Amino acid sequence: MTDDQAPLSREILLDVPVLPAKPTARVEVRRITMKPGFAAGWHVHNCPVVGSVLAGSVRYQAEGVDEVVLTAGEVFHEPEGVPVRFDAGDEGATFLAYFLLADGEEPEIALTSG
């Protein structure tokens, strides 16, 4: 049987360390939609965030790393406490974001200068 005929396939899209390591008691998943050209700007989260772009595109950049454009089907990681920029492209963007939360923790975002 060739790969084209296989009834199931698996592909790793993202494999990143979650540092600093901390217990995760729950995962909150959000579908987020940004209007065309919306600039969320530089910000930090109080927990690790991983996600995938469903539609449109975003300009993603973590502090100290070159900017990349992510499109539908691509994945991202926003490390806890690290400034990132996540801005919608000209066509807007919809993405899923998975917030890895400790017991009793709620997702938070704080704007920063990057």
Side-chain angles (χ1 to χ4, degrees):
M1 183 180 307
T2 67
D3 285 342
D4 292 341
Q5 298 170 324
L8 173 71
S9 68
R10 292 182 175 91
E11 177 183 1
I12 296 171
L13 299 179
L14 181 68
D15 184 0
V16 294
V18 176
L19 298 173
K22 73 176 193 182
T24 299
R26 68 188 184 93
V27 177
E28 182 175 296
V29 182
R30 296 180 177 184
R31 180 190 326 265
I32 300 171
T33 301
M34 297 170 27
K35 299 233 182 238
F38 175 77
W42 287 97
H43 62 276
V44 296
H45 289 284
N46 64 326
C47 64
V49 180
V50 295
S52 59
V53 178
L54 297 176
S57 68
V58 296
R59 291 184 348 259
Y60 168 81
Q61 183 177 12
E63 184 177 62
V65 180
D66 290 339
E67 174 185 299
V68 296
V69 175
L70 303 175
T71 59
E74 294 187 289
V75 296
F76 60 90
H77 170 235
E78 297 186 27
E80 176 180 351
V82 174
V84 298
R85 187 169 56 95
F86 202 86
D87 300 334
D90 292 339
E91 68 281 14
T94 299
F95 58 96
L96 295 178
Y98 298 78
F99 296 80
L100 308 177
L101 300 162
D103 189 33
E105 188 175 37
E106 293 298 325
E108 295 176 5
I109 186 171
L111 297 179
T112 182
S113 59

